[in-house]
Amino acid sequence: MANDSGEENYYGKHGEPRKFDPKFKGPIGNRQCTDVLCCIIFVVVILGYIALGIVAWIHGDPRKIVYATDSYGQFCGQKGTANENKTVLMYFNILKCASPVVLINLQCPTTQLCVSKCPDRFATYLDMQGNWGNSSYWEYYKQFCKPGFNNPRKSITEVLRDEDCPAMITPSRPFLQRCFPDFSTRNGILTVANKTIFKDGSGHVRNVTDLREAANGINAVLDARSVGMRIFEDYASSWYWILIALFIAMVISLLFLILLRFTAGVFFWIFIFGVIGVVGYGIWHCFWEYNNLKGVPGSDLTIYDIGLQTDFRVYLQLRDTWLAFMIILCIVEVIIILMLIFLRNRIRIAIALLQEGSRAIGYIMSTLFYPIITFILIAICISYWAVTAVFLATSGEAVYKVMANKTYCQYAGTVCAPETFNTTNVTKLCPGSQCTFAFYGGESFYYQYILIFQLANIFVFLWLVNFSIALGQCTLAGAFASYYWAFKKPADIPTCPLFSSFGRAIRYHTGSLAFGSLILALVQFIRVILEYLDHKLKASQNSFAKFLLCCLKCCFWCLEKFIKFINRNAYIMIAIYGKNFCTSAKDAFFLLMRNVVRVAVLDKVTDFLLFLGKILVAGSVGVLAFFFFTRKIPIITDEAPSLNYYWVPLLTVIIGSYLIAHGFFSVYAMCVDTLFLCFCEDLERNNGSASKPYYMSPELHRILRKKELGSKKAKR
């Protein structure tokens, strides 16, 4: 039915007429700017974000994170200062520290001093005075006292009152630029420097187990350091092999996409059964390992029996580990086979869409490399957010607070000045209290709203990242829509469709893309807050609060997925018709609802097939890397590096290969989604007659044509 303007109307199931331009031949070139108000707001927010970064740059100081800070707010190891050669932080009385977390956060109620090295022996101030004739004893001990202190005959009471020297020093080793007691175990007994007792500086002999509370978790921390050093060594010796493996993954991904252009159907069935074969081999290998460990001493232990081990190879010596792997792989295998059986017809339809997509990408090869632009934009956003967050976190002047000892003190936690603290009455009312560095902050407007600025930093970061993704989706959609609506392919495909689409998106639709990104960023920001609340409530005993929070997290997760789906299709409609975000989202939604069965099945089947492609790329490269790093390839056994944990480079290769494949296959996914929407529009616009021919390929129309096509032609 035609109206007075010559446009044709189509009445959908919802009774809303849609006007069609009979001269429409692809993405509209004559457009107007959309969602201008949101565009202006977006630009203002970006300018404000830049201003926030500048202010944070002026007030922030990353040295507060890089260097440890003593009780006087001075950095340890900072070049050009008196502490340049004093790179580690020592605690005068570590017994006052409750745990390593307290030490790392610099909240231990004892004097903290920058020193050039950690103590390597037990010593006390009283012993030093008793060995006054031995000058070397004093020369060693005074390096752990305040700079300039040179009165070894001063009484221990006065020394502790004025915080001149520690009452005792213990053998320590540096970690996180701080001196930690050098704990070790011998025959199950905790020792420090092979000793089980020490003098506490007050004339008493104590057992090293008295340090246990202050050193709670030290062994775990030291184990973590050991594991970290080994992982670093593995990366240092295998980084070039990792790069080679990632390059192979990129080549395989490109070859895979090229093969799809010519043999999409055959190749997809090959890799589907290839995945089944790889999983089947994994099941056989797990069973083989499980069977070979039968009768091996210690192999029948459970994972619970051996507990948490830093050497993960220990778990591979257990039969239970391989049995668990085998069960998981069997479940995966059964799921894949069942999906193939029940969705075999839909898989054929998805393959037809991918074949059409492969032709589109074959004509517009530049689209394969557009994800690099998106990656660069996201990398810039992440870098700017991280730098701004660091500078915001390190803004402010040094704040000192009263740290009480064991007795109650009404001034505990109040702000103090270290220069005048000993002259105040706080030391009299609170014996043993000290004025120590607490944190960096201030009383001005800027310092009072640091938390608000950090939240704004996160929110704008999410907005910019989503905008970068939206720009890529709209650009690719415009390019692929140019392919679909070209009646004679490739003759009618416009020149440089990708560049033209990018220009249209930036020039006319920045506001619309920013609008859609803003909605998604709001939902993601709420999810971030919910995750923070969940972290805080983990120790809570309020079951109702935990349940409510879990429900909210689930609801907002679903909402985020739905908005991503709507936005993606709205951007396709924006790229084609150039309308504002709300109109495009509404048109896309109703169009999809009129084809809801196809959307529900084809979209997921296509995603499943592309996911299998990613798994195949990551799995094939991962298997190759596994045999290489475990020296199971005889030809190049000598070339494999010697590793502490072969899983370190192996996991890096697998994850990196998957991300590379995801970058290339995301172009395919966008292509299929765009072609599908264009196909649905094509069916509603045209009827296959000479005056209104279909723009789809004959193969695609033959597979996907509607059953009611004949009746619709009669109505029109």
Side-chain angles (χ1 to χ4, degrees), residues 346 349-350 353 597-606 676 704:
R346 298 299 182 180
I349 297 175
L353 282 172
V597 177
R598 291 196 179 101
V599 173
V601 178
L602 296 183
D603 185 66
K604 294 306 175 184
V605 170
T606 303
F676 181 74
L704 297 176

Side-chain angles (χ1 to χ4, degrees), residues 240-281:
Y240 48 92
W241 292 110
I242 293 175
L243 292 180
I244 292 174
L246 295 180
F247 177 77
I248 293 174
M250 184 181 69
V251 172
I252 293 177
S253 298
L254 285 173
L255 290 176
F256 178 79
L257 294 178
I258 293 173
L259 286 174
L260 282 181
R261 181 183 179 185
F262 304 102
T263 58
V266 175
F267 196 76
F268 258 100
W269 284 114
I270 290 175
F271 92 76
I272 286 173
F273 288 109
V275 170
I276 295 176
V278 169
V279 177
Y281 169 78

